[in-house]
Amino acid sequence: MRKGHMIVCDGGNGAGKTTVLKAIEVHLQAKGRELVMTREPGGTPIGEKVREILLSPDTPEMCGVTELMLFAAARAQHVRERILPAIAAGKIVVSDRFDSATVSFQHYARGLPLDLIHKINSIAIDGFKPDITIILDLDPIVGLQRVSSRGEGLDRMEQESMDFLHKARHGYLEQAKNDPAHFVVIDSSQPLEKVIIDVIHVVDRIIA
Ligand code: TMP
């Protein structure tokens, strides 16, 4: 049995992940738990460099398989360098996205075959599975409005069509429906305080 836990927060862009992750961090620190806050793509020096390649709006020509393998490459490093050692040390790893994003974006939205996604993902994660993936669910039209209002410009993935973003949302909901033991969907159109209460409830159940 493993010593630590891994909690993933995932979902559409603009669904409030950053605020929710901060609330999880504050909550777990107040409980005196040892934490690793991390993200995908990224989480390691190599992963952060891969992130720049993946999200740069300057390379719209990136093909789907390249995209899949780069997300997986960053994940392979993340799992081995950061996640597994932290879990072995009894820490709680909280990640902004993980493998659920690949299934949603590269399979459901991009259209790459599911068996290819599973093959590549399983090499990256090597049998590892998060305890829970919390999906913040929001209509992508609302999510994109929130992202645009930040005035930071859109990354390569955020520049995809609304149809792509709707398919990704559907992908998250399908994953949650197919694996209710490992996924929880939280309605992100609720007031933020309610979203945070719902998320903390899930976190407390996992670490109890
Ligand atoms: P964000 O984490 O800053 O929201 O941006 C990451 C973007 O990359 C987001 O649009 C989701 C996308 N993504 C994938 O397409 N596949 C993946 O495996 C991961 C981790 C993220």
Side-chain angles (χ1 to χ4, degrees), residues 47-67:
E48 292 295 328
K49 287 186 180 174
V50 175
R51 178 184 179 93
E52 282 173 29
I53 300 170
L54 276 164
L55 299 186
S56 167
D58 305 336
T59 48
E61 73 277 20
M62 185 181 292
C63 55
V65 177
T66 306
E67 181 179 277

Side-chain angles (χ1 to χ4, degrees), residues 37-202:
M37 299 299 298
T38 188
R39 69 170 178 180
E40 288 212 353
T44 65
I46 292 170
E48 292 295 328
K49 287 186 180 174
V50 175
R51 178 184 179 93
E52 282 173 29
I53 300 170
L54 276 164
L55 299 186
S56 167
D58 305 336
T59 48
E61 73 277 20
M62 185 181 292
C63 55
V65 177
T66 306
E67 181 179 277
L68 169 65
M69 294 179 95
L70 285 174
F71 277 116
R75 182 164 306 131
Q77 188 67 28
H78 193 203
V79 167
R80 288 157 184 79
E81 180 180 334
R82 197 109 191 267
I83 297 172
L84 294 181
I87 286 179
K91 297 179 186 171
I92 301 175
V93 178
V94 180
S95 186
D96 180 343
R97 303 196 189 277
F98 198 59
D99 60 338
S100 43
T102 309
V103 175
S104 278
F105 283 89
Q106 279 66 55
H107 169 59
Y108 283 95
R110 189 72 78 207
L112 293 175
L114 195 54
D115 61 339
L116 176 67
I117 306 279
H118 285 325
K119 217 181 281 174
I120 300 288
N121 247 348
S122 69
I123 294 169
I125 63 182
D126 198 20
F128 175 75
K129 204 170 173 61
D131 295 73
I132 195 82
T133 298
I134 299 169
I135 304 296
L136 300 182
D137 178 55
L138 186 66
D139 184 332
I141 296 174
V142 180
L144 202 60
Q145 276 164 357
R146 289 190 190 168
V147 172
S148 303
S149 70
R150 290 180 200 145
E152 293 166 358
L154 300 181
D155 67 35
R156 190 179 60 84
M157 302 298 290
E158 289 160 348
Q159 288 179 356
E160 287 290 345
S161 67
M162 236 343 126
D163 179 53
F164 181 91
L165 300 177
H166 278 291
K167 286 177 179 161
R169 179 193 196 187
H170 170 70
Y172 281 120
L173 297 177
E174 282 294 299
Q175 288 182 80
K177 195 172 75 186
N178 296 336
D179 188 3
H182 293 99
F183 284 85
V184 173
V185 178
I186 291 180
D187 175 4
S188 245
S189 68
Q190 304 179 97
L192 196 54
E193 308 81 67
K194 176 70 169 62
V195 173
I196 289 172
I197 289 169
D198 289 356
V199 168
I200 296 298
H201 185 72
V202 175

